[in-house]
Amino acid sequence: MRSLLVFLLFVLVSHGLYAQKVILKGKITDPKGLPVPFASVYELNTTTGTSANSEGEYQLKLSPGKHTIIFKAIGFSQELRELDLQSDQFISVILTGAIYELKDVIVRAFSDDPAYEVIRNAIRERNYYLNETDEYTADVYIKGMQKLLGAPKKFLGRNIDDLGNQIGLDSNRKGILYLSESESKLSYMQPGKYREVMISSKVSGSNRAFSFNRASDMGINFYQNLLEMEGLSARPFVSPIADNALFYYRYRLLGTSIENGQMINKIELIPKRSADPVFRGVIYILEDSWRIHSADLYLTKESNIQFVDTLNIRQEFIPVNAKSWMPSSVRFDFSGGFLGFKFGGYYIALYNNYDLNPGLNPKDFREVLNISREVNKKDTAYWKQARPIPLTAEEQIDYVKKEALATRRESKVYLDSLDKANNKLKPLNFLIGTGYNPRNRFKKEYYQFGSMINSLFYNTVEGFGINYRASYSKQIDSLTNKFLRYTGKVRYGLSSEKFYASFSASIPLESSRFVFNTGSDVLDLSDQESINQLGNSINSLYYERNLLKLYESRFLNLSYLKPFGSVQTSLSAEYSNRRPLQNTSDYTIRDLTRREFTSNNPLVPGSDLPMFSENQAFKIKLRASYAFSNDYATYPSGKFYRPSKYPLLGLNYERGLKGLFGSDVDYSRISLDLTKTDIKLGLLGHSAFWLGAGKFINDRKIYYIDYKHFIGVQTLGYTPRVNSFLYLDYYNFSTADQYLEGHFEHNFSGFLFNKLPLLRKLKLNELAGFNFLGTPATNSYSEFYMGIKYLNFRALYGWSYLNGKKADFGFRIATGL
């Protein structure tokens, strides 16, 4: 009986809740009957509203009674409808193009266009409107859709039709690639603090994924002088009403119109220089108040944007009260093409239910984002009721089709069929390609067997040899993306006739990780890994330069990594037996008369004297780094602290313990490092630096292997790191004393090259940098360099100086692969 009463109560309450709302829906078109995509629909004097979809269809939930509804879109005259809603209604609306008149405006030769007076007033008020609102909250709905508009039949030897069938494309290789929706509660507090709590998330084709939609990513603010668009451009873009906007833009008044008793100025933006980081399009400014009413702006290839050809930004504002206007919607439309693939899409954010006096607590803003495990659990019924922007027919079909595909993709039969095709051994790929990587996707188990070509090597210590690696990993939590990994490695040199083997395991714990590594191996004398296996093999065989110096180690290493808030810590303990090695081979493809191999002792290259005697070492290492950040984001996979405006501070301590387990070493070293890689300097680009200083507190018994080593480069190619040198010898500058190390690099982000027509299209970034090292033995070592960067490719030229005298110079190239 009690269950029946509860059920009846639930039905009555549910009926009452739904009865409180009626649905207004319809279609918005222009006079020719064409849909007006994403037109805004709002109730007058409220922040309750919605947007039409790309087909002009809208729906808005309202309480029964009388309402004044505004239908509007950028470039159209708004329509007001007085409605008495007692039940669901279907109302279609025709929006006519807005008429902007230039009457009573006289433009004389050699005088400013009237738009300049409007813009100057808007610039004067910019800072006020930027800081007008102390705090607010709003509900934000975001929908994102990306479509493939065309594709070749084959790409890199792979049949695109087969891939298209797996991801839901049609027979012409067209269709939706990504479709997602999300709801969030957005909070804001001066100065510039945001907090976002995602309420729900839906991704077409996946019941487990979380959408990429972030309200903070959609928050473009033209009241800022410069607008950062990370990933789209290395340069920020100049706002049309920035303090120095008149240096970058020309303006033309296209006309004025009246809306709700207020005059709106329609102003065209014309870049003074096509390559400047500026917008094109139209901005609408309210007369007298000089605030932004709306904007319809775009960026093109001329602005040197990456990945897309065109990005259109449309933003609309609504009055929240008598004094404040807030964004009602912002939309990004994009299109582009690459290697025969054509794509396009949009992201739209809809803002509702503003509260300008929410009484926020500053402490809550330590968490800038919260995405819980439950946000993607909402079912179809929930989204049908909650979704403010109707789905188009294409989007409805995509959800249904992708849901069926997702169910199929998660079945054991389907996954086994994919694995069966993938797990076939391809001899050529195993020999010279990516190796052999079988998997069991249903059990989430993955195997990796390296290719033979990447395992072969030559060095003068071992001769020709093989260094083969294989690993096994298992995903133990898909939400937190935690993997259990085991790796085994064997190594054998034909000339040295010695065999080595090692095994490692990486075991994730709840909020930490344990790493175990044991066995025997041949290792670099420098713990900074001077030159990779392939690079040393090429230099040895073809240029007769055996740059890599090696020793033998039999070891056991245990490491534990754990974060404590924004402090990252790691503790490791290692026992090793270390033996010096000597050259056993002098084979070379080219026998250069002016060059010969050096010994395996980098400090005495002309002698085969062992660099050290065989010894045992037990060492502990501790590192703690602090990001000076109290802000964090909470994801289903855990809590992650956000980058700080301050540098990252690192503290390191290393201790060699004599006598423990027969250890011979007795020393201790402490060091500090300070680094920051994203110092933004506006239109001048961005900088990065790394500073390090350390000292051996005692060195009663220390071997060369335990010295402080530095990241040097002695070859044309190198791997860029923030604390790497370009011309430093791999081994000769290592120290067992105190040291000071500094690195600085500035990326001008095209500030110079964008002004040169022939170079502009290459989208090159200019680099300049400086490196410094000081030790008691070498006194002063410095490097200066300059060059270019494109994506991950770098080409640099520089000079090095030792104690004021030129030591080396030349080119350095990095691919970043």
Side-chain angles (χ1 to χ4, degrees):
M1 184 65 179
R2 179 178 296 178
S3 299
L4 178 60
L5 290 173
V6 171
F7 174 76
L8 291 173
L9 179 61
F10 172 78
V11 172
L12 289 171
V13 170
S14 299
H15 177 73
L17 288 174
Y18 286 106
Q20 291 175 7
K21 297 291 183 180
V22 294
I23 299 176
L24 174 66
K25 60 183 177 180
K27 189 167 185 176
I28 304 172
T29 60
D30 65 13
K32 294 182 180 180
L34 299 175
V36 179
F38 302 104
S40 295
V41 183
Y42 271 84
E43 183 175 10
L44 184 64
N45 297 325
T46 74
T47 61
T48 300
T50 187
S51 169
N53 62 22
S54 59
E55 301 296 332
E57 300 163 339
Y58 74 92
Q59 66 179 29
L60 179 62
K61 296 180 178 66
L62 297 164
S63 300
K66 295 182 178 180
H67 301 272
T68 301
I69 306 300
I70 299 174
F71 300 86
K72 58 186 294 188
I74 295 177
F76 291 85
S77 294
Q78 72 174 22
E79 283 283 324
L80 272 70
R81 296 292 177 91
E82 299 282 351
L83 302 174
D84 187 0
L85 301 175
Q86 300 301 328
S87 60
D88 295 353
Q89 287 195 29
F90 186 95
I91 296 178
S92 292
V93 175
I94 297 175
L95 295 183
T96 59
I99 299 174
Y100 288 87
E101 299 179 347
L102 280 170
K103 63 182 180 180
D104 300 328
V105 174
I106 300 175
V107 181
R108 295 184 176 89
F110 308 109
S111 64
D112 282 344
D113 187 285
Y116 283 86
E117 181 181 357
V118 176
I119 291 296
R120 288 190 180 99
N121 286 323
I123 292 173
R124 188 178 65 248
E125 299 296 327
R126 179 196 66 81
N127 195 59
Y128 172 78
Y129 291 131
L130 178 64
N131 301 289
E132 178 185 31
T133 306
D134 291 330
E135 62 179 19
Y136 69 80
T137 60
D139 297 329
V140 186
Y141 166 82
I142 301 176
K143 181 162 73 170
M145 193 268 285
Q146 301 172 22
K147 293 182 67 174
L148 189 64
L149 305 176
K153 289 186 177 181
K154 287 191 175 183
F155 182 72
L156 297 177
R158 184 167 184 180
N159 192 320
I160 301 301
D161 285 327
D162 294 340
L163 178 62
N165 291 332
Q166 295 179 28
I167 62 176
L169 300 180
D170 62 21
S171 58
N172 295 315
R173 299 173 297 284
K174 298 179 181 180
I176 294 177
L177 294 172
Y178 175 78
L179 173 62
S180 71
E181 300 173 272
S182 68
E183 296 177 299
S184 294
K185 189 73 171 182
L186 182 66
S187 302
Y188 172 82
M189 177 179 282
Q190 291 281 12
K193 295 181 178 180
Y194 288 92
R195 181 173 187 258
E196 179 180 355
V197 178
M198 187 173 286
I199 299 168
S200 57
S201 169
K202 183 176 179 64
V203 180
S204 181
S206 177
N207 299 323
R208 300 180 181 180
F210 298 87
S211 77
F212 297 123
N213 306 342
R214 302 290 184 271
S216 53
D217 293 339
M218 299 290 291
I220 189 165
N221 190 340
F222 291 108
Y223 289 116
Q224 294 176 333
N225 279 319
L226 299 174
L227 292 91
E228 297 279 352
M229 294 189 179
E230 294 186 12
L232 184 69
S233 173
R235 303 180 296 171
F237 293 92
V238 180
S239 167
I241 58 170
D243 291 341
N244 60 345
L246 295 178
F247 179 76
Y248 293 94
Y249 292 97
R250 291 196 298 269
Y251 302 91
R252 184 171 64 187
L253 181 66
L254 300 180
T256 62
S257 67
I258 304 298
E259 182 180 282
N260 301 327
Q262 294 181 296
M263 181 184 291
I264 304 172
N265 297 281
K266 181 180 182 181
I267 298 173
E268 182 183 8
L269 308 178
I270 306 168
K272 286 188 174 181
R273 294 164 293 275
S274 60
D276 280 344
V278 294
F279 298 93
R280 294 160 173 80
V282 176
I283 190 168
Y284 300 81
I285 304 292
L286 290 171
E287 188 78 11
D288 296 330
S289 66
W290 314 116
R291 66 165 73 246
I292 299 173
H293 170 273
S294 54
D296 186 0
L297 308 179
Y298 61 94
L299 300 168
T300 66
K301 283 183 175 181
E302 288 185 296
S303 299
N304 264 7
I305 56 178
Q306 305 281 359
F307 307 115
V308 299
D309 296 335
T310 303
L311 176 68
N312 187 199
I313 304 170
R314 293 181 176 92
Q315 187 177 41
E316 295 185 64
F317 290 80
I318 57 171
V320 178
N321 56 33
K323 295 183 178 181
S324 300
W325 287 54
M326 301 295 289
S328 61
S329 65
V330 60
R331 183 171 114 233
F332 296 87
D333 293 88
F334 57 88
S335 62
F338 182 71
L339 298 177
F341 293 87
K342 295 181 180 180
F343 58 88
Y346 68 85
Y347 280 84
I348 182 170
L350 187 65
Y351 299 83
N352 268 297
N353 303 322
Y354 278 103
D355 183 354
L356 301 189
N357 298 288
L360 299 173
N361 186 343
K363 294 181 180 179
D364 294 337
F365 284 81
R366 288 188 57 191
E367 182 183 59
V368 297
L369 176 66
N370 183 292
I371 303 177
S372 67
R373 291 174 178 248
E374 289 72 33
V375 302
N376 63 354
K377 306 303 182 187
K378 307 294 194 300
D379 59 16
T380 302
Y382 170 86
W383 279 103
K384 186 175 182 180
Q385 183 272 333
R387 179 182 292 121
I389 301 178
L391 296 175
T392 64
E394 181 185 31
E395 291 166 348
Q396 291 178 29
I397 292 172
D398 188 75
Y399 269 132
V400 174
K401 180 170 63 176
K402 296 280 181 66
E403 185 174 1
L405 285 174
T407 302
R408 180 187 169 208
R409 283 198 298 263
E410 293 178 359
S411 69
K412 187 176 186 303
V413 173
Y414 178 77
L415 293 176
D416 286 349
S417 67
L418 291 180
D419 291 343
K420 184 178 180 181
N422 174 80
N423 294 348
K424 291 180 179 178
L425 177 62
K426 299 176 181 178
L428 191 62
N429 204 35
F430 176 69
L431 292 174
I432 62 173
T434 58
Y436 178 50
N437 303 296
R439 66 197 182 195
N440 186 324
R441 289 177 32 159
F442 185 76
K443 293 183 177 180
K444 297 182 174 58
E445 295 178 339
Y446 306 88
Y447 301 83
Q448 294 88 32
F449 296 91
S451 67
M452 294 302 297
I453 190 66
N454 290 328
S455 304
L456 301 177
F457 67 84
Y458 175 81
N459 62 60
T460 55
V461 171
E462 300 170 277
F464 287 98
I466 184 170
N467 186 26
Y468 193 78
R469 183 189 305 266
S471 65
Y472 163 83
S473 58
K474 180 177 177 62
Q475 189 177 41
I476 59 177
D477 190 330
S478 58
L479 284 177
T480 59
N481 202 32
K482 288 182 178 180
F483 281 85
L484 175 68
R485 290 187 174 90
Y486 299 107
T487 302
K489 193 179 78 166
V490 293
R491 182 180 184 121
Y492 182 75
L494 293 176
S495 179
S496 63
E497 298 181 344
K498 289 186 177 181
F499 177 82
Y500 303 93
S502 60
F503 173 80
S504 65
S506 178
I507 304 169
L509 305 176
E510 186 171 344
S511 60
S512 58
R513 179 173 290 275
F514 176 74
V515 180
F516 168 87
N517 193 8
T518 188
S520 59
D521 206 350
V522 174
L523 303 177
D524 190 343
L525 284 173
S526 168
D527 60 1
Q528 300 295 333
E529 297 180 356
S530 309
I531 182 172
N532 62 39
Q533 180 173 278
L534 176 62
N536 184 71
S537 298
I538 294 173
N539 273 276
S540 298
L541 291 170
Y542 197 73
Y543 296 104
E544 207 167 346
R545 299 176 70 202
N546 55 329
L547 298 172
L548 184 62
K549 308 302 179 182
L550 303 164
Y551 75 99
E552 178 186 286
S553 177
R554 300 182 184 277
F555 57 86
L556 170 64
N557 183 288
L558 304 175
S559 299
Y560 181 69
L561 300 87
K562 182 176 177 59
F564 295 92
S566 60
V567 178
Q568 301 288 328
T569 65
S570 64
L571 175 65
S572 67
E574 179 182 274
Y575 175 80
S576 58
N577 184 87
R578 308 177 302 186
R579 295 181 64 248
L581 296 174
Q582 294 179 316
N583 289 342
T584 63
S585 173
D586 60 358
Y587 177 80
T588 180
I589 294 176
R590 293 197 312 165
D591 188 7
L592 303 178
T593 57
R594 296 184 180 181
R595 186 177 294 168
E596 61 182 18
F597 288 128
T598 59
S599 73
N600 194 47
N601 186 335
L603 304 184
V604 190
S607 171
D608 285 331
L609 291 174
M611 190 160 195
F612 57 88
S613 60
E614 182 175 354
N615 64 86
Q616 291 76 43
F618 182 80
K619 300 190 290 186
I620 58 171
K621 295 181 181 180
L622 171 66
R623 175 170 174 82
S625 61
Y626 178 51
F628 292 95
S629 174
N630 291 321
D631 299 340
Y632 61 89
T634 302
Y635 295 94
S637 55
K639 183 187 294 185
F640 299 89
Y641 278 79
R642 308 283 280 185
S644 168
K645 64 179 180 179
Y646 302 106
L648 177 72
L649 175 64
L651 171 65
N652 307 277
Y653 177 74
E654 183 175 329
R655 181 78 168 94
L657 298 170
K658 183 176 177 60
L660 196 59
F661 303 110
S663 174
D664 298 313
V665 296
D666 186 4
Y667 71 92
S668 57
R669 173 165 59 94
I670 190 168
S671 63
L672 289 169
D673 54 77
L674 197 65
T675 182
K676 183 129 181 89
T677 59
D678 58 348
I679 305 171
K680 295 180 173 60
L681 299 177
L683 297 176
L684 294 177
H686 57 274
S687 299
F689 76 86
W690 193 96
L691 293 174
K695 179 178 177 60
F696 281 81
I697 301 173
N698 79 74
D699 58 353
R700 286 185 286 270
K701 187 63 174 178
I702 187 171
Y703 297 87
Y704 179 83
I705 307 165
D706 309 308
Y707 282 24
K708 167 60 183 176
H709 304 282
F710 305 96
I711 304 174
V713 173
Q714 293 180 261
T715 59
L716 175 65
Y718 81 108
T719 301
R721 285 182 274 184
V722 68
N723 61 331
S724 63
F725 293 90
L726 293 179
Y727 306 97
L728 189 73
D729 186 278
Y730 295 131
Y731 304 100
N732 284 332
F733 288 81
S734 301
T735 183
D737 206 327
Q738 60 191 15
Y739 67 90
L740 177 64
E741 178 182 4
H743 306 264
F744 175 82
E745 180 177 277
H746 183 71
N747 185 330
F748 289 90
S749 302
F751 181 79
L752 301 175
F753 288 163
N754 283 325
K755 295 175 173 58
L756 304 175
L758 295 178
L759 293 176
R760 182 185 308 149
K761 293 183 179 180
L762 298 178
K763 299 182 180 181
L764 301 175
N765 293 339
E766 315 90 336
L767 299 178
F770 168 75
N771 302 313
F772 172 83
L773 175 64
T775 67
T778 60
N779 195 5
S780 173
Y781 173 87
S782 58
E783 298 177 348
F784 302 87
Y785 64 90
M786 60 187 67
I788 59 174
K789 179 177 183 291
Y790 176 73
L791 298 179
N792 290 326
F793 175 82
R794 289 166 164 247
L796 307 174
Y797 188 86
W799 307 261
S800 67
Y801 297 84
L802 180 60
N803 297 324
K805 296 181 180 180
K806 184 179 287 188
D808 201 358
F809 63 93
F811 286 99
R812 293 291 183 260
I813 295 174
T815 62
L817 299 178

